[in-house]
Amino acid sequence: MASSATRNAAALGGEDDEELRMKLQRLPHLTDTLPSLGTHPNPLDNNPFFHPISEFYIAPSDVVLRHILHDVATTTPGPQMAYHRAGPRKRILFEPGRVRAAIVTCGGLCPGMNTVIKELVVGLWELYGVRQIFGVAAGYRGFYSTEPVALNPKIVHDWHRKGGTALQTSRGGFNLHQIVDAIHDRAFNQVYIIGGDGTMRGMVEIFNEIKRRKLNIAVAGIPKTVDNDVGIIDRSFGFQTAVEMAQQAIIAAHTEAESAVNGIGLVKLMGRSTGHIALHATLSSRDVDCCLIPEMDFYLEGKGGLFEFLDARLKDNGHAVVVVAEGAGQDIIPRGNESGHVEQRDESGNPVFLDVGGWLKSELNKWWTRDHPKELFTVKYIDPTYMVRAVPANAPDNLYCTLVAHSAIHGAMAGYTGFVCGPINGNYAYIPVEEVARAKNPVNIRDHKWAWVRSVTNQPDFEGRSY
């Protein structure tokens, strides 16, 4: 079998092909380190549920472009970054009867985790005839601290209806050599890792160590983050469900605020480093008066500040709704003795944030008592964090989970490794995990979507202030 670099060049005529003007991202393959590995016919040829035609199998030349929007009147696009399209290959590297697959979930909860696990099991079992499938409990530490759990379609048949992860999860516990030793000792040759940015960084290390040891083990990643902060892909699974649940909290906050004299409904939503849930929930609910996200600084007092805006809104409407992402305002929340402050981090290495919702509620009450001591005022604070992330996936997210799980299976069976799969411009693709581990997906407060938020809420710009 040709190396992936050779396949890439043959597929696109080389990186300098002026006609195609594409730069195909190199996708790691097990034959890069084990060139003597042979291939086998894809068993989907004989699967009664499929009738493969010429377009059924994905060719090495099938690619997905990362960027599809260009102003050709003002710029000349350079070589376009492209990724291998996900899907079944005509030839596979693994004999299904010899596959021992491991599935692990890491980090926090996210709607759809159980659906992904189920579809990995069902896809391996029904599509490729794999009979040795195991779940690893309790995240990365589970590889070396627990016994794997045998899985089959009967066991997982209703998991898609449940929130959370039936395999259990945890943060931290990453011991590279113990993990890879356990994978090798248990004879796993396919490992499916479901997790967020920290998990993907760990996957990079696992993939590199497996490659260094020249082991015949394919490692496939499925990005999981309710915050939608994974870069490159269109969105992460569970995000649409999270937005849907966030709307319910906003509706409740609006009802509470509207039913009180000078009522403010305050909702804190998930979003440590990005405000995508807050932004999309704001746009879809249309009941929000101000949306505060980590990508945008804001201030409370003075001209153009939050208090001035809310004062005017209460005078006009009698109520207001404020949505704040959990990572917003961290730089202005008092931390006690600043000179002696040491930033705390959780087991995944993420900074432990202060409660912006509780702080903002307190500040709102202090402001009103100071400036309007004789008027009624109510702040109803709603924090639906665990409701948002612990529910089962909705229909669009369940479909996403099915497609992304099957995409991962097809890639691993074909011998690709060190990759993450996800949708790019609506088409599923394989992305080198190193890219995903580095990429971020912040809200662009200079684009049309954020302008739409401000036009819907009429909230302050919070810029041009001298702190």
Side-chain angles (χ1 to χ4, degrees):
M1 176 179 285
S3 69
S4 61
T6 302
R7 290 192 301 274
N8 288 359
L12 295 183
E15 291 185 358
D16 295 328
D17 191 320
E18 290 299 324
E19 182 178 352
L20 292 174
R21 298 188 65 77
M22 292 183 191
K23 182 178 180 180
L24 181 59
Q25 296 303 93
R26 183 179 179 280
L27 186 62
H29 196 273
L30 286 171
T31 55
D32 296 341
T33 53
L34 300 167
S36 63
L37 293 175
T39 62
H40 311 276
N42 195 318
L44 293 178
D45 283 336
N46 303 312
N47 191 305
F49 301 116
F50 295 96
H51 300 282
I53 57 176
S54 58
E55 297 85 5
F56 179 80
Y57 291 110
I58 305 300
S61 54
D62 286 335
V63 302
V64 178
L65 295 180
R66 179 168 179 182
H67 301 292
I68 60 174
L69 298 177
H70 301 279
D71 184 353
V72 296
T74 59
T75 61
T76 302
Q80 297 305 298
M81 191 174 295
Y83 299 94
H84 284 280
R85 185 181 165 202
R89 268 51 180 176
K90 182 68 175 174
R91 305 283 297 183
I92 62 173
L93 187 138
F94 288 96
E95 292 183 61
R98 295 178 180 270
V99 170
R100 282 177 59 85
I103 303 168
V104 65
T105 55
C106 304
L109 299 185
C110 178
M113 293 175 77
N114 277 328
T115 304
V116 172
I117 299 167
K118 173 187 174 177
E119 293 304 328
L120 286 172
V121 173
V122 172
L124 285 164
W125 190 285
E126 300 291 353
L127 300 182
Y128 285 97
V130 175
R131 293 296 182 265
Q132 298 183 82
I133 309 168
F134 300 88
V136 176
Y140 276 140
R141 60 169 45 88
F143 278 108
Y144 57 84
S145 66
T146 66
E147 288 295 316
V149 179
L151 300 175
N152 61 54
K154 287 185 178 180
I155 292 174
V156 302
H157 78 281
D158 63 345
W159 284 14
H160 64 289
R161 300 192 186 98
K162 303 174 182 178
T165 167
L167 293 181
Q168 300 179 322
T169 186
S170 69
R171 298 186 185 276
F174 186 83
N175 185 307
L176 176 61
H177 294 289
Q178 284 187 285
I179 291 170
V180 177
D181 287 345
I183 291 171
H184 181 257
D185 293 345
R186 297 187 187 281
F188 293 137
N189 51 16
Q190 290 186 11
V191 179
Y192 296 90
I193 299 174
I194 306 164
D197 54 353
T199 302
M200 293 298 109
R201 289 192 294 271
M203 178 181 159
V204 171
E205 294 188 45
I206 292 171
F207 161 65
N208 286 330
E209 179 63 16
I210 286 174
K211 184 170 62 174
R212 187 189 68 80
R213 298 188 191 187
K214 295 186 177 181
L215 302 177
N216 184 17
I217 302 171
V219 185
I222 297 177
K224 175 245 11 146
T225 167
V226 73
D227 295 346
N228 200 37
D229 58 358
V230 172
I232 302 176
I233 62 174
D234 295 345
R235 70 178 191 281
S236 51
F237 73 81
F239 174 68
Q240 290 184 315
T241 306
V243 172
E244 190 173 292
M245 291 301 298
Q247 281 191 71
Q248 295 183 27
I250 292 172
I251 290 171
H254 180 259
T255 300
E256 290 282 356
E258 197 174 33
S259 301
V261 177
N262 293 320
I264 289 183
L266 175 61
V267 180
K268 184 179 77 171
L269 297 177
M270 298 187 73
R272 294 179 57 84
S273 59
T274 63
H276 292 287
I277 294 178
L279 182 151
H280 283 80
T282 293
L283 290 178
S284 54
S285 75
R286 309 303 288 261
D287 285 329
V288 177
D289 294 280
C290 189
C291 176
L292 306 173
I293 59 176
E295 294 87 346
M296 178 194 69
D297 293 332
F298 69 94
Y299 56 95
L300 304 181
E301 304 278 359
K303 185 172 179 57
L306 180 63
F307 291 163
E308 180 187 69
F309 169 74
L310 290 177
D311 200 7
R313 188 54 57 96
L314 291 174
K315 285 183 172 65
D316 290 342
N317 297 337
H319 65 275
V321 174
V322 178
V323 167
V324 58
E326 61 182 317
Q330 293 297 311
D331 58 333
I332 61 174
I333 303 175
R335 295 177 179 268
N337 183 6
E338 289 290 341
S339 61
H341 171 70
V342 178
E343 185 178 62
Q344 293 182 317
R345 292 184 175 270
D346 63 22
E347 289 184 298
S348 296
N350 300 313
V352 176
F353 285 168
L354 299 175
D355 180 10
V356 65
W359 169 76
L360 195 51
K361 176 184 178 181
S362 175
E363 293 301 307
L364 286 166
N365 280 314
K366 290 177 184 176
W367 156 65
W368 193 266
T369 300
R370 181 193 69 204
D371 291 4
H372 307 278
K374 296 182 180 180
E375 297 183 46
L376 292 173
F377 181 69
T378 301
V379 179
K380 295 296 185 182
Y381 174 40
I382 299 176
D383 179 0
T385 300
Y386 294 102
M387 290 178 61
V388 165
R389 74 178 197 172
V391 298
N394 64 11
D397 274 330
N398 263 330
L399 175 59
Y400 179 127
C401 292
T402 298
L403 295 176
V404 77
H406 287 199
S407 295
I409 293 169
H410 293 313
M413 290 299 298
Y416 293 115
T417 184
F419 71 89
V420 167
C421 50
I424 300 177
N425 297 315
N427 295 284
Y428 285 80
Y430 297 137
I431 311 158
V433 65
E434 290 95 338
E435 287 191 46
V436 175
R438 292 193 306 264
K440 303 296 181 183
N441 184 35
V443 171
N444 181 2
I445 60 174
R446 301 295 182 189
D447 73 357
H448 299 92
K449 190 175 291 184
W450 184 248
W452 186 14
V453 169
R454 293 203 56 229
S455 70
V456 168
T457 62
N458 293 313
Q459 68 186 65
D461 194 10
F462 295 118
E463 292 191 352
R465 159 112 172 183
S466 178
Y467 291 93

